[in-house]
């Protein structure tokens, strides 16, 4: 997994600045990409897999809205939490202030898979690529110097 270092202030000590790792997003995977990958690993067609994935996505909001926690095997679980503005009395409470959020809790399998990650700094990688370019350019210049007619 690639990461870059980002300077951030310490919330408790505003004058203290440290470097922290941030993941580098290399793009996104669409449902069609995922369906194609799954179809390549199974006897199902991409259409079959897409159908299941789209139906799964259609069902999730209903389950969450009805108050269910969704257990996705050892991969993890999803549930809804609520935040709202506090009210002085029950009668004064306004439901319009409720804001739902979906919380995903990774399961043992996902935690294990992410725990085996190796990490590569984007800066380090960029420096290595720059060295390779410099080396290639140096070799190219040497070849150009040594080839061709020699005046004498």
């Amino acid at each position: 997994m690639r990461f870059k270092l980002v300077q951030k202030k310490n919330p408790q000590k505003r004058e203290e600045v440290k470097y922290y790792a941030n993941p580098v997003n290399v793009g996104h995977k669409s449902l069609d990409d995922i369906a194609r990958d799954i179809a390549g690993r199974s006897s199902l067609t991409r259409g079959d897999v897409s159908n299941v994935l789209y139906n799964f996505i259609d069902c999730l909001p209903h389950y969450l809205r009805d108050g269910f926690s969704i257990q996705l095997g050892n991969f993890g679980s999803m549930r809804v939490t609520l935040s709202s503005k506090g009210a002085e009395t029950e009668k004064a409470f306004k439901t319009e202030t409720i804001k739902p959020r979906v919380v995903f809790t990774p399961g043992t399998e996902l935690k294990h898979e992410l725990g085996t990650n190796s990490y590569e700094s984007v800066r380090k990688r960029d420096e290595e690529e720059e060295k390779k370019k410099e080396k290639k350019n140096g070799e190219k210049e040497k070849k150009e110097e040594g080839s061709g007619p020699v005046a004498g």
Side-chain angles (χ1 to χ4, degrees):
M1 176 178 243
R2 294 173 53 199
F3 72 93
K4 62 182 174 185
L5 292 176
V6 177
Q7 258 186 330
K8 294 183 184 180
K9 290 183 180 179
N10 183 336
Q12 282 79 33
K13 300 177 185 174
R14 303 295 279 159
E15 67 282 350
E16 187 178 283
V17 178
K18 291 186 178 182
Y19 288 89
Y20 297 90
N22 268 12
V24 173
N25 185 341
V26 295
H28 72 278
K29 289 286 185 180
S30 69
L31 273 179
D32 288 336
D33 293 333
I34 295 167
R36 191 175 298 110
D37 288 347
I38 293 171
R41 297 172 179 225
S42 72
S43 62
L44 300 173
T45 67
R46 188 178 75 177
D48 291 337
V49 175
S50 290
N51 187 347
V52 170
L53 290 174
Y54 281 107
N55 280 305
F56 177 70
I57 289 169
D58 285 345
C59 291
L60 287 180
H62 300 288
Y63 297 150
L64 293 169
R65 194 178 304 124
D66 290 344
F68 289 98
S69 172
I70 300 166
Q71 182 64 45
L72 303 169
N74 289 332
F75 184 75
S77 63
M78 300 168 68
R79 62 187 168 84
V80 171
T81 63
L82 302 176
S83 65
S84 64
K85 242 182 188 173
E88 296 295 322
T89 65
E90 283 185 40
K91 200 171 193 169
F93 182 79
K94 305 273 187 227
T95 57
E96 298 83 34
T97 67
I98 297 174
K99 298 210 183 336
R101 266 188 359 181
V102 176
V103 175
F104 176 78
T105 304
T108 55
E109 188 174 318
L110 181 58
K111 284 180 184 177
H112 173 74
E113 288 298 319
L114 292 176
T116 61
N117 268 358
S118 62
Y119 297 96
E120 176 186 14
S121 169
V122 172
R123 183 174 176 198
K124 186 183 231 182
R125 185 171 182 237
D126 291 345
E127 287 171 357
E128 287 172 4
E129 286 177 6
E130 189 63 34
K131 284 180 186 177
K132 284 180 185 177
K133 283 181 187 176
E134 288 172 6
K135 187 177 179 181
K136 281 183 183 178
N137 288 339
E139 289 172 3
K140 189 177 179 182
E141 288 171 9
K142 283 182 183 179
K143 283 181 183 178
E144 288 172 1
E145 288 172 9
S147 63
V150 179

